[in-house]
Amino acid sequence: MNKPIIDVLNGSARKPPPVWLMRQAGRYLPEYRVLREKAGSFLDLVFNPELAAEVTLQPIRRFGFDAAILFSDILVVPQALGQAVTFAVGEGPLLDPIKDRTDFERLTSHVDHTVLAPVYETIRRVKSTLPPTVALLGFCGAPWTVATYMVAGRGTPDQAPARLFAYRDAAAFDVLMDVLVEASASYLVRQFQAGVDAVQVFDTWAGILPPEQFARWCIAPTRRIVTMVRLQVPGAKIIGFPRGAGSLLPRYVAETGVDAAGLDWMIDRTFAHEQVQCSVPVQGNVDPLALLAGGGALDRAVDAAMEAFAGGPFIFNLGHGILPETPIAHVEQMLKRIRGS
Ligand code: CP3
């Protein structure tokens, strides 16, 4: 049976467009908060295939989205490279920061897939229960975005630690990026082997890079991942999401070879339609704050995205992850408006 999202990734326009939301499994759902409590820590939830599969399926049951996204996190890759990751409640991720070359020379250069085995088991479990029209999406963080957390040891407003590291010792940063390219590619290949239909590469921090660094740290590593994955999984469908890429997005699409471009909420829609959707399907891009606000502002945001993109291959989504404070009724309002039901 056809999966609408895969049709779109193959270049078809669907009416209404298929829809899923970044971070659709998470804290805005009361049923998520119950399981999160039960699991203990966030990573205990991620590495428990039974509970992680359940969390992956929760938003599908509640809203009937067209894709389920594997419940995991981009920071399981550093974990599998030997850099301990913890999530302090209300504080986000914490890692031992990488201050210099010797710090990351202590990490292993290949991911330990036994650490990630529960994630692959989650994929197999979800796959076996998902309705046939619903796609299962895997994901990883792009090397640049993952490196920003590895270097800073936490989230920062501007990822200055990684940017400074890359300026001060570009050769060392290159080695770290090489490790992450290989790790991410092999992680995605295993996800495909376990049953995902497509994957998304999240480059959340791409937009803070000046153009030359954007080419070096965002485009080049992503292109290598796309090539390496397709070598082992011919025809693998890959969505790239370089948040904040702006005018560099057409170049990102052309040079990385991704199958579709995730659009953030900041991009000019006419530009994205004319310069990006002309060559690949697009996904996005309602402002998560418009969804949080609801009412007329939400209706207008939904209509604007539909008018700009629904004539071509388009996957409806937000321009970044759904915010934990988002009322469930607003998600329902948005789906009704998209689907006209
Ligand atoms: O989309 C989905 O529903 C799948 C699950 C998913 C999570 N994280 C679960 C999560 C995905 C795809 C991610 C990606 C991710 N993780 C990114 C890239 C996309 C983005 O949102 O920018 C990044 C940068 C991270 C790293 C990360 N994980 C941060 C900075 C934080 C803390 C801040 C926050 O948003 O909570 C996390 C924690 C995290 N990852 C939670 C969830 C549901 C919340 C943890 C909790 O329940 O306490």
Side-chain angles (χ1 to χ4, degrees), residues 141-157:
W144 164 248
T145 287
V146 174
T148 62
Y149 290 96
M150 292 177 79
V151 170
R154 62 199 153 83
T156 65

Side-chain angles (χ1 to χ4, degrees), residues 9-341:
L9 291 176
N10 281 318
S12 305
R14 299 271 310 215
K15 275 187 185 144
V19 52
W20 68 281
L21 304 182
M22 289 185 270
R23 294 288 191 93
Q24 67 189 15
R27 285 166 296 180
Y28 73 108
L29 289 177
E31 59 269 37
Y32 169 82
R33 294 194 296 266
V34 170
L35 285 192
R36 171 80 173 71
E37 190 98 339
K38 188 171 153 193
S41 78
F42 172 68
L43 282 183
D44 287 338
L45 183 53
V46 164
F47 289 124
N48 179 325
E50 192 189 338
L51 297 184
E54 177 57 25
V55 169
T56 304
L57 291 164
Q58 283 173 344
I60 307 306
R61 292 201 196 100
R62 191 186 264 274
F63 301 115
F65 289 128
D66 295 285
I69 181 158
L70 164 69
F71 183 74
S72 180
D73 195 82
I74 63 167
L75 299 179
V76 298
V77 168
Q79 175 96 352
L81 288 168
Q83 188 181 17
V85 180
T86 56
F87 285 83
V89 177
E91 282 206 38
L94 291 174
L95 305 85
D96 276 338
I98 295 178
K99 293 176 297 304
D100 53 32
R101 192 183 282 247
T102 47
D103 279 344
F104 75 74
E105 278 167 356
R106 268 188 237 119
L107 305 178
T108 56
S109 52
H110 299 282
V111 277
D112 179 354
H113 286 289
T114 57
V115 174
L116 299 171
V119 177
Y120 309 135
E121 175 59 20
T122 302
I123 293 171
R124 286 188 286 271
R125 281 178 185 241
V126 174
K127 186 76 180 171
S128 67
T129 48
L130 214 54
T133 55
V134 179
L136 176 55
L137 304 178
F139 70 92
C140 70
W144 164 248
T145 287
V146 174
T148 62
Y149 290 96
M150 292 177 79
V151 170
R154 62 199 153 83
T156 65
D158 55 3
Q159 304 298 24
R163 289 157 66 200
L164 260 180
F165 190 119
Y167 279 124
R168 285 180 173 148
D169 193 350
F173 199 71
D174 256 334
V175 177
L176 177 59
M177 295 297 270
D178 283 347
V179 168
L180 287 171
V181 165
E182 214 228 74
S184 311
S186 74
Y187 181 43
L188 293 181
V189 166
R190 301 272 182 137
Q191 292 183 37
F192 276 108
Q193 289 167 346
V196 300
D197 298 297
V199 296
Q200 176 156 317
V201 178
F202 285 90
D203 215 346
T204 303
W205 291 98
I208 48 163
L209 291 167
E212 313 81 65
Q213 275 95 344
F214 183 89
R216 181 167 181 181
W217 307 126
C218 168
I219 294 180
T222 304
R223 175 178 53 229
R224 288 172 63 201
I225 290 173
V226 170
T227 307
M228 287 164 88
V229 171
R230 293 223 184 100
L231 221 53
Q232 294 192 60
V233 186
K237 291 289 173 208
I238 303 173
I239 304 167
F241 177 58
R243 187 174 71 117
S247 62
L248 295 169
L249 189 60
R251 182 169 169 204
Y252 170 92
V253 166
E255 294 183 11
T256 59
V258 292
D259 296 279
L263 307 177
D264 58 62
W265 75 90
M266 297 162 281
I267 202 156
D268 180 77
R269 289 199 174 99
T270 307
F271 171 82
H273 174 65
E274 289 174 357
Q275 309 281 326
V276 180
Q277 202 181 18
C278 58
S279 55
V280 289
V282 294
Q283 169 181 282
N285 76 335
V286 164
D287 186 345
L289 282 176
L291 180 59
L292 176 52
L298 175 58
D299 287 347
R300 283 189 295 280
V302 170
D303 294 353
M306 295 285 279
E307 273 158 33
F309 304 122
F314 174 47
I315 298 167
F316 198 103
N317 205 315
L318 299 175
H320 195 200
I322 185 169
L323 296 161
E325 307 79 14
T326 307
I328 283 168
H330 294 186
V331 179
E332 287 164 349
Q333 175 191 337
M334 183 176 77
L335 286 171
K336 237 173 150 182
R337 191 119 185 141
I338 299 164
R339 293 174 168 161
S341 58

